[in-house]
Amino acid sequence: HKTAALRLAGVRAVYRALEDLLPGSSPFNGIPERLEKKLKGNSKKRLTALDKSELRAVLSWAAAKHTPEAMTGHALVFFLATSGLRANEAASLTWRNIELIDGTYYAIGIGKGNKPFEQELYPDAVGAARAAFKATVGRKPQDDDALFLTTLRTPMPYHTLWKRIKDLGAAAREEG
């Protein structure tokens, strides 16, 4: 929906520019208010990315905690920030999808649009994910295990992944 709204915004801008030359030529003139709201897209506040110092602060705060939840939160933030993977891609990974090839870790899976991906991973982020898994389950991960688990030891869906990160940020902010 957001992509369609952005594309239509570009088309509308072209017609606005043409309106001076050809008044009344825009197909966007006179559209119903309900459709107008849809075309404007989501009016929610835009979220901003963490800057480097904020990212370091959250990672340092979570690394200082030694609970399975904090370790998983640290691993999630570290993994996503250094890999560039989408939350859904990271949430769908199992340890079988993490390969060590010539000393470099790669995540191999299926991403958005059912397209295969192969993404290089930062070794310390893989180590953090492994340590969080071991703290949660009490053993080393096996190939069929999900990379990230909930507190109930089930694969973490991407919406839970984002909630966990949001909660981690809120806790870090609250404690300073």
Side-chain angles (χ1 to χ4, degrees):
H1 173 72
K2 189 181 253 184
T3 302
L6 290 174
R7 286 182 183 155
L8 282 172
V11 172
R12 289 182 83 172
V14 169
Y15 275 105
R16 261 189 243 111
L18 289 174
E19 191 70 25
D20 291 338
L21 299 171
L22 303 166
S25 63
S26 175
F28 295 99
N29 290 340
I31 60 172
E33 186 179 333
R34 186 174 56 83
L35 184 56
E36 183 71 33
K37 285 181 182 178
K38 271 188 169 180
L39 290 175
K40 286 184 179 178
N42 193 342
S43 62
K44 290 183 180 177
K45 178 183 166 188
R46 288 190 183 256
L47 302 176
T48 57
L50 296 175
D51 64 31
K52 287 181 184 179
S53 65
E54 291 170 327
L55 178 61
R56 283 188 191 112
V58 168
L59 289 172
S60 294
W61 179 87
K65 307 291 178 187
H66 296 289
T67 66
E69 293 82 9
M71 291 174 75
T72 299
H74 175 265
L76 286 168
V77 172
F78 199 11
F79 192 89
L80 289 173
T82 58
S83 71
L85 291 175
R86 292 178 172 90
N88 203 31
E89 293 167 343
S92 69
L93 292 174
T94 64
W95 285 97
R96 176 176 284 119
N97 300 117
I98 307 300
E99 294 191 17
L100 183 60
I101 303 169
D102 297 328
T104 303
Y105 284 102
Y106 293 92
I108 299 167
I110 304 296
K112 188 173 181 178
N114 229 14
K115 295 178 186 168
F117 67 83
E118 184 174 315
Q119 179 63 45
E120 185 176 343
L121 301 174
Y122 189 60
D124 290 346
V126 175
R130 187 173 281 118
F133 184 94
K134 190 170 183 183
T136 301
V137 180
R139 63 172 171 79
K140 291 182 180 179
Q142 298 171 354
D143 284 351
D144 289 335
D145 291 324
L147 207 63
F148 299 108
L149 300 175
T150 66
T151 53
L152 300 175
R153 299 181 180 180
T154 59
M156 188 177 295
Y158 77 94
H159 50 71
T160 303
L161 184 150
W162 278 123
K163 181 171 180 356
R164 186 74 71 86
I165 290 172
K166 183 179 174 183
D167 292 348
L168 177 80
R173 190 178 317 108
E174 189 176 298
E175 284 189 28

